[in-house]
Amino acid sequence: MEYLDRGVVAVKTDDQNVFVSWRLLADDSKDISFNIYKDSVKLNEEPITECTCFVDTTNGKGGYVVKPISSNNKLAVSEKVEVWENAYLEIPIQKPEAGISPDGKNYEYKANDASVGDLDGDGQYEIVLKWDPSNSKDNSHHGYTGNVFLDAYEFNGEQLWRIDLGKNIRAGAHYTQFIVYDLDGDGLAEVACKTADGTMDGKGKIIGDPNTDHRNDKGRILKGPEFLTIFSGKTGEALETTNYLPSRHPSKENPEPEDLNKIWGDSYGNRIDRFLAGVGYFDGKTPSLIMTRGYYTRSVLVAWDWKNGKLTKRWIFDSNENAYSNYAGQGNHQLSIADVDQDGKDEVIFGSMTVDDDGSGLYNSGLGHGDAMHVSDLVPGRDGLEIWTAQEDRNKYRGKGLWLRDAKTGDTLWGVPANGDVGRGLSANIDPNFPGSEMWGAVGGIFSAEGKEISKRRLPMNFAIWWDGDLQRELLDGNIIYKWDYKESKVEELLRAEGSLSNNWTKATPALSADILGDWREEVIFRAEDSNSLRLYSTNIPTSYHFITLMHNPQYRVSVAWQNVSYNQPPHPSFYIGEDMEEPEDPNIEIIKGL
């Protein structure tokens, strides 16, 4: 896993004290403790051992430093941090200029999905942000779109580079899936995404033919070469470009509509341009990139390795192969990656089907396409992981619109009856009175991990976030964080991010939510209303619990990497968090330090 510094953050509390928190790292010793200093004055009387946060009540301005203490190692003192001026960190960003599409319509840009990675090897995260034009399209709709841009920023707003994907990459939630991850283990994160003729890298170099326009009169892009490019996270330079797999047609660069219909199920570019992406440790040691195409009909997943400046194919899974023909149409609008069979190697949970670490089909549940999925140890009383999904058509899916499944076998455990499309579902531990995580969706009420309906209430179901001081998870919907009051059966607002907006229409998802800074609780990044800045919110609520940063849990870290993909979903670790939890095993993780 990546080398990280202490990630110290200082935020004002509601009573104008200062809440300071920092990371516990996977390679910290068991006896580690911490001292807190403000401008060289130690604030704590005794070394801090039971948590990774501290409330400074001394008033007065000053910068904060965290000093770790260990009997085994001499550890680095953290960098000095100042208190945020607001309840959030304002990160200035550079909005692209508005444009006019070929049909004469004006469009402008809004900040959209984001990811984080250590782009320069200093142990601190940088942000990679996707810009979404106002004329971006769902695959089912015709029309021209503006270009898609990827920007890299330091947390102080310094822009590191901009990648212009060009006119031959269509804009929309299902088209541009970008992965930010250290794929070769050199301590510097790369950026990977689909590119085309006219893509300009962060150094101003053009990929392919800069003059060719492959758009048809409906704004669709159904011909021309398609590429996969690995970019340097540090400079935005294109390091290597290869053909995107699978191609639209196995032997034709410019297939006819009837060719596309035969292979993908329609002729106009809906099913063919459904892309997903992710990262998995398929050998149990090193990360591989996953790029996919299709899920309503044919589904193809390709694993790539990036080593020594070369991009090589590890394996390819194709539902068109005879052995996997019944896997067609089993994909979701997102994927998850986890070690479902507990062999130390990752699998790809691709909706109702799961692909093994070697690219073979592990199983097919046969439940078909779904809109939401959550994979974790949702039922800690059972061995292994579970999968909670929201399905589309109950007539196809055995009369149930929400399903809990065994992640290793795909066997269904219990479900919730539904009529028609169930477009939402969420799982999180929100009630300590019941073991394991609770589950709910767009039908029914709140269910325990054992399938018992414990409330008739319909809760927010877009995102989950660890925010306050207990071990229950909170609910993130739009620009509001809610707490489920299980005693009074109602939701309570913990944070309303005034002046900030969520993304992706009714999905109402943040730019990113993850354990980005501070202790194990999660941060959330929204766009400001005018998209001239991002706003990073971090909790100011003390907690008596401490965990190794969630970013050093491999499943959680790769979940953050694929969070921006299609219908964004919150990240989940491989272990359960709750009052009834068992202590997680010490992670056997090699920390990769930057150059």
Side-chain angles (χ1 to χ4, degrees):
M1 301 302 291
E2 63 206 329
Y3 163 73
L4 294 172
D5 70 5
R6 287 293 161 194
V8 182
V9 62
V11 188
K12 292 178 183 177
T13 65
D14 294 342
D15 52 7
Q16 297 305 300
N17 292 320
V18 176
F19 175 77
V20 183
S21 73
W22 57 93
R23 294 185 182 113
L24 185 66
L25 303 171
D27 57 348
D28 283 336
S29 61
K30 284 284 189 179
D31 71 343
I32 195 167
S33 60
F34 301 93
N35 288 326
I36 314 301
Y37 295 82
K38 181 166 69 174
D39 290 344
S40 301
V41 177
K42 188 161 76 79
L43 300 176
N44 54 301
E45 294 183 2
E46 298 292 334
I48 298 170
T49 60
E50 299 300 320
C51 62
T52 49
C53 62
F54 180 83
V55 177
D56 175 21
T57 60
T58 61
N59 298 319
K61 295 183 179 181
Y64 293 87
V65 168
V66 174
K67 182 179 180 180
I69 306 166
S70 172
S71 60
N72 298 327
N73 300 295
K74 184 178 181 180
L75 300 175
V77 176
S78 76
E79 290 191 4
K80 183 178 180 179
V81 300
E82 303 294 332
V83 182
W84 291 356
E85 294 183 3
N86 303 304
Y88 51 83
L89 177 65
E90 188 107 37
I91 304 171
I93 53 178
Q94 307 301 313
K95 186 189 301 186
E97 292 184 2
I100 303 175
S101 60
D103 55 2
K105 297 180 180 178
N106 296 316
Y107 62 89
E108 57 186 15
Y109 283 91
K110 295 179 180 178
N112 191 246
D113 296 336
S115 192
V116 291
D118 185 0
L119 304 182
D120 53 14
D122 63 355
Q124 300 176 2
Y125 285 128
E126 286 77 39
I127 297 172
V128 176
L129 171 70
K130 182 177 76 169
W131 288 98
D132 194 40
S134 55
N135 60 356
S136 65
K137 296 288 188 292
D138 184 86
N139 294 52
S140 61
H141 298 159
H142 296 311
Y144 293 97
T145 74
N147 291 13
V148 177
F149 297 93
L150 296 176
D151 284 1
Y153 295 96
E154 297 280 3
F155 280 17
N156 63 7
E158 178 187 354
Q159 186 182 34
L160 302 178
W161 45 257
R162 168 167 289 172
I163 296 169
D164 179 355
L165 294 181
K167 57 180 172 287
N168 292 309
I169 293 290
R170 205 165 185 241
H174 303 291
Y175 293 100
T176 297
Q177 320 302 349
F178 65 99
I179 294 296
V180 182
Y181 208 85
D182 181 5
L183 296 169
D184 59 2
D186 66 352
L188 308 173
E190 289 79 34
V191 178
C193 68
K194 184 173 179 284
T195 57
D197 283 336
T199 294
M200 178 186 293
D201 75 3
K203 291 283 192 178
K205 181 181 178 181
I206 301 295
I207 295 172
D209 185 345
N211 301 314
T212 303
D213 188 341
H214 296 299
R215 294 173 293 184
N216 63 23
D217 59 1
K218 295 181 179 179
R220 301 278 187 173
I221 304 164
L222 302 177
K223 64 178 183 178
E226 302 173 284
F227 306 125
L228 169 62
T229 300
I230 302 293
F231 297 93
S232 165
K234 189 172 185 178
T235 66
E237 177 185 6
L239 300 176
E240 186 174 12
T241 296
T242 190
N243 290 328
Y244 191 90
L245 296 178
S247 62
R248 299 183 185 95
H249 192 282
S251 59
K252 298 179 181 179
E253 184 173 293
N254 299 316
E256 297 298 324
E258 55 267 26
D259 296 324
L260 300 181
N261 185 58
K262 183 178 180 180
I263 297 173
W264 298 101
D266 66 49
S267 61
Y268 65 97
N270 182 2
R271 291 169 175 82
I272 189 174
D273 278 349
R274 301 281 178 160
F275 300 103
L276 301 176
V279 175
Y281 288 77
F282 302 121
D283 64 359
K285 297 178 181 179
T286 56
S288 298
L289 175 70
I290 282 284
M291 303 298 287
T292 84
R293 183 173 220 147
Y295 42 73
Y296 285 127
T297 52
R298 181 189 183 194
S299 297
V300 184
L301 293 73
V302 185
W304 298 90
D305 290 339
W306 172 248
K307 295 180 180 179
N308 301 318
K310 297 294 182 183
L311 194 58
T312 57
K313 184 179 67 175
R314 173 177 283 268
W315 51 253
I316 185 166
F317 173 93
D318 190 343
S319 66
N320 267 14
E321 295 180 10
N322 290 334
Y324 303 124
S325 59
N326 66 338
Y327 283 62
Q330 299 297 316
N332 264 34
H333 285 295
Q334 70 287 132
L335 51 71
S336 186
I337 296 179
D339 178 11
V340 303
D341 55 9
Q342 299 171 301
D343 65 352
K345 302 175 183 179
D346 281 337
E347 283 72 44
V348 182
I349 304 96
F350 200 72
S352 293
M353 72 181 200
T354 293
V355 176
D356 208 349
D357 53 77
D358 62 357
S360 62
L362 184 63
Y363 62 77
N364 172 20
S365 297
L367 298 178
H369 169 71
D371 282 1
M373 178 168 64
H374 306 273
V375 181
S376 186
D377 189 4
L378 305 177
V379 191
R382 296 184 73 255
D383 183 48
L385 307 178
E386 291 78 33
I387 305 171
W388 177 246
T389 57
Q391 306 295 149
E392 277 206 2
D393 187 344
R394 61 99 180 172
N395 292 319
K396 292 182 181 178
Y397 312 138
R398 308 173 200 168
K400 306 291 176 67
L402 296 164
W403 275 111
L404 182 68
R405 311 196 316 262
D406 182 286
K408 183 177 181 179
T409 65
D411 294 341
T412 53
L413 302 176
W414 56 266
V416 180
N419 292 307
D421 183 352
V422 179
R424 296 286 196 284
L426 186 58
S427 178
N429 172 29
I430 60 171
D431 190 333
N433 292 315
F434 298 90
S437 294
E438 284 67 52
M439 302 164 208
W440 63 97
V443 295
I446 306 171
F447 294 85
S448 72
E450 302 300 325
K452 176 185 177 181
E453 189 173 53
I454 60 176
S455 174
K456 298 291 186 182
R457 286 292 304 269
R458 185 83 45 87
L459 296 180
M461 59 192 77
N462 282 333
F463 250 62
I465 184 171
W466 279 289
W467 187 260
D468 67 4
D470 61 31
L471 295 184
Q472 284 78 60
R473 210 170 185 186
E474 284 65 58
L475 310 176
L476 172 59
D477 189 58
N479 65 343
I480 305 174
I481 295 175
Y482 298 96
K483 179 75 172 179
W484 170 243
D485 184 342
Y486 57 90
K487 295 179 180 178
E488 300 294 332
S489 293
K490 64 181 181 179
V491 291
E492 171 190 357
E493 276 191 24
L494 298 184
L495 173 73
R496 180 179 290 264
E498 299 286 357
S500 301
L501 296 176
S502 58
N503 294 333
N504 303 316
W505 302 96
T506 60
K507 300 296 179 286
T509 51
L512 182 71
S513 180
D515 181 11
I516 301 169
L517 292 168
D519 62 25
W520 59 276
R521 270 87 58 81
E522 294 170 297
E523 282 66 45
V524 58
I525 301 177
F526 296 112
R527 60 184 168 99
E529 289 177 340
D530 59 5
S531 277
N532 287 323
S533 66
L534 298 174
R535 294 179 173 180
L536 189 156
Y537 289 80
S538 187
T539 188
N540 61 3
I541 303 172
T543 181
S544 58
Y545 299 99
H546 68 291
F547 297 96
I548 292 168
T549 174
L550 297 179
M551 291 299 230
H552 276 169
N553 177 259
Q555 180 181 322
Y556 184 91
R557 183 64 186 90
V558 299
S559 298
V560 173
W562 58 248
Q563 185 181 135
N564 69 80
V565 170
S566 194
Y567 286 1
N568 306 19
Q569 302 289 292
H572 297 281
S574 59
F575 61 94
Y576 168 75
I577 294 178
E579 278 82 356
D580 51 335
M581 70 184 292
E582 296 180 1
E583 176 144 355
E585 295 180 3
D586 291 339
N588 182 18
I589 298 172
E590 178 184 358
I591 306 299
I592 305 297
K593 295 195 175 185
L595 299 177

